Structure formats: C-alpha cells, structure tokens
C-alpha cells in the first residue's frame, strides 16, 4: 500500500534542534531581539534543559532556515500573511508564534510570552503529549508553562516565564515532596496557580480549568487564534507556506 503523501514528524529525533528566531512584527517588542535571544538561550541551557533534557540552539535569522525549528514574532493573528505561517515550518518542524501586539494589549511582556512558547515547544514539540492525573475521567495536556504563566523570573535581566517540572505531572507525589516548578511556588502535582490554567480533555472535547475566576474572565477576553490551546484541538497541523506569506 503506497502513502498518499509525505508524513512529517514534528521534531528532529536524536538531534539538538536549532531554532530560527525572526521578527515580522511592526509593533516594537519592548526588548532588544538580540538580547532576548541571548536570554532565552541561557534560559534553555541553565533552567529548562537540565530539568527536561531538551537542549536547543537559538539563532537570529531573517526567516525560516532549512532543517531548523522556528520562532516568529508577528503583530497579531490579523497581520497580513500571519495565518500563512500555520503551525509548522516549511520542513514540517515545530514553529512557535509570538503575537506582539496581542501580548502587549493583554498587558503582558513579550519576553515572557516568547519564553512561554519556547519551553512548551521544547517539552511537547508536536502538541500531542497528554497524561492521566488526579481526576480519572480527565486527560491533562502536557503544557509546561500554562499552570504558572503569570509568574516570571529574570535571566540576564530579562523576565522569563516560570515553568513546571516533570514531577508536576506525576500525581503520586505528596505535597511538598518534590520541586514542581522553577520558582518553587507550586506545592503539589497538577496545582494551578491563580494566574494560570490547564488544558484538559473530558467528555470527548478539549476545555480549560483555571486557577481563579479572574483568570477565567481574562482568558475569555484573549485572542487565542494561533495559540497551542487552539492547535491542540485540531487533527492536522499545516506547514507554513512561504509563497503565501510573501503575497501577504
């Protein structure tokens, strides 16, 4: 039986990925891009990779690089050509989108949003990891920054997102028995802090649970197009189309 088309794996198995970081946003980032990339490299090398075993090399580029993952900065999901970036690079590899104007309109920092996307892409590049948890009727998405996304800590003087540790997704741990997040604010597995949320699959559909009523209201006002929470609901992920982007 022949395949009807190519099958793309959403990660480089056995390789340390290169992540091409490039800016297509007209809105100022609020931080120097070179300094941000340098801070995110330290974030990966000294914080994320030692915990999750997910090394990566970040490089500044003018666009997609052959064989590299990508992080692209865009104004918002309505930017001309933005949706043509789709979910994967032209090679079918992981791609993160940081919506600069949307982030700033939400009164968030671009550096925190970028590091949020980065750690979640490294931990779950194909956006398909899930696990059981405290509720036997629920499947929990392996999103490593969402439950603690309101918190940040400085790296090279630039705020980076807090993120959870593998023990967070291991329900057998007792409260206080392990480190569950980088900033040591989480006390037990699957705890959602007041400014965070968790994506779950229950009764045949994806939804969210929130750390507070205020977070639920804020989440409802956010433009979620292009975010991992929306990509997870879909069956297929589409490669970026450089020709379509150029026309935009």
């Amino acid at each position: 039986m022949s395949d009807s088309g190519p099958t793309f794996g959403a990660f480089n198995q056995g390789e340390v990925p290169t992540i091409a970081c490039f800016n297509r946003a007209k809105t100022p980032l609020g931080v120097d891009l070179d300094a941000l990339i340098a801070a995110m490299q330290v974030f990966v090398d000294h914080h994320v990779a030692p915990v999750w075993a997910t090394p990566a090399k970040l490089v500044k580029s003018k666009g997609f690089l052959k064989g590299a993952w990508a992080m692209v900065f865009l104004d918002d999901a309505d930017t001309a050509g933005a949706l043509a970036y789709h979910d994967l690079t032209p090679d079918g590899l992981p791609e993160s989108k940081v919506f600069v104007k949307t982030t700033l309109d939400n009164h968030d920092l671009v550096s925190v949003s970028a590091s949020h996307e980065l750690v979640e892409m490294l931990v779950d590049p194909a956006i398909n990891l899930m696990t059981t948890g405290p509720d036997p009727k629920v499947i929990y998405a392996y999103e490593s920054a969402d439950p603690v996304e309101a918190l940040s800590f400085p790296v090279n003087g630039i705020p980076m997102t807090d993120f959870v540790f593998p023990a967070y997704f291991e329900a057998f741990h007792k409260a206080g028995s392990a480190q569950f997040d980088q900033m040591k604010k989480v006390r037990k597995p699957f705890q959602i802090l007041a400014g965070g949320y968790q994506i779950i699959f229950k009764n045949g559909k994806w939804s969210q649970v929130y750390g507070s009523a205020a977070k639920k209201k804020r989440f409802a006002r956010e433009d979620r197009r292009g975010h991992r929470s929306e990509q997870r609901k879909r069956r297929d992920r589409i490669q970026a189309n450089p020709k379509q982007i150029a026309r935009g």
Side-chain angles (χ1 to χ4, degrees):
M1 181 181 294
S2 62
D3 293 334
S4 59
T7 300
F8 293 92
F11 46 85
N12 315 56
Q13 291 181 319
E15 297 182 12
V16 174
T18 295
I19 303 177
C21 304
F22 56 98
N23 186 14
R24 292 290 182 269
K26 297 179 181 178
T27 305
L29 303 181
V31 62
D32 179 75
L33 181 58
D34 291 295
L36 174 57
I37 293 172
M40 289 196 296
Q41 185 68 68
V42 175
F43 174 68
V44 171
D45 292 343
H46 295 280
H47 301 285
V48 180
V51 173
W52 283 101
T54 53
K57 179 182 178 181
L58 281 68
V59 298
K60 184 180 179 181
S61 69
K62 296 181 179 179
F64 293 112
L65 298 179
K66 184 69 176 176
W69 299 14
M71 174 177 287
V72 55
F73 294 82
L74 302 163
D75 284 307
D76 53 37
D78 289 325
T79 303
L83 296 182
Y85 283 91
H86 296 302
D87 315 315
L88 300 170
T89 72
D91 293 335
L93 297 170
E95 176 190 347
S96 286
K97 288 174 279 188
V98 180
F99 294 112
V100 177
K101 184 177 184 301
T102 302
T103 295
L104 297 175
D105 286 346
N106 289 336
H107 305 290
D108 294 325
L109 296 175
V110 171
S111 65
V112 176
S113 293
S115 56
H116 180 132
E117 294 299 318
L118 176 60
V119 65
E120 291 192 335
M121 177 168 62
L122 289 173
V123 172
D124 182 12
I127 316 183
N128 63 358
L129 293 182
M130 298 170 282
T131 184
T132 54
D135 186 338
K137 296 182 180 180
V138 172
I139 297 295
Y140 299 81
Y142 238 75
E143 297 292 348
S144 52
D146 291 345
V148 295
E149 71 171 5
L151 300 182
S152 63
F153 65 99
V155 174
N156 287 7
I158 297 176
M160 298 280 113
T161 187
D162 190 12
F163 61 93
V164 300
F165 282 23
Y168 178 89
F169 296 105
E170 298 168 347
F172 58 83
H173 290 290
K174 294 181 179 180
S177 64
Q179 185 170 347
F180 298 106
D181 72 309
Q182 172 66 30
M183 296 179 66
K184 301 182 180 180
K185 300 298 184 181
V186 176
R187 297 297 301 158
K188 61 182 181 180
F190 295 93
Q191 178 185 355
I192 305 171
L193 300 186
Y197 71 100
Q198 174 71 46
I199 300 173
I200 63 170
F201 188 77
K202 184 178 182 180
N203 297 327
K205 63 179 181 180
W206 290 103
S207 61
Q208 292 80 223
V209 290
Y210 306 91
S212 65
K215 176 60 181 179
K216 183 177 181 179
K217 291 180 180 179
R218 183 182 180 188
F219 189 92
R221 294 193 299 266
E222 294 178 0
D223 183 351
R224 304 298 301 179
R225 291 175 297 169
H227 284 257
R228 289 171 63 94
S229 58
E230 295 303 309
Q231 293 178 21
R232 192 175 284 276
K233 298 175 183 178
R234 296 179 9 220
R235 293 177 179 269
D236 300 316
R237 298 181 68 195
I238 305 171
Q239 296 163 250
N241 186 328
K243 291 183 179 180
Q244 189 178 357
I245 291 169
R247 288 198 299 270

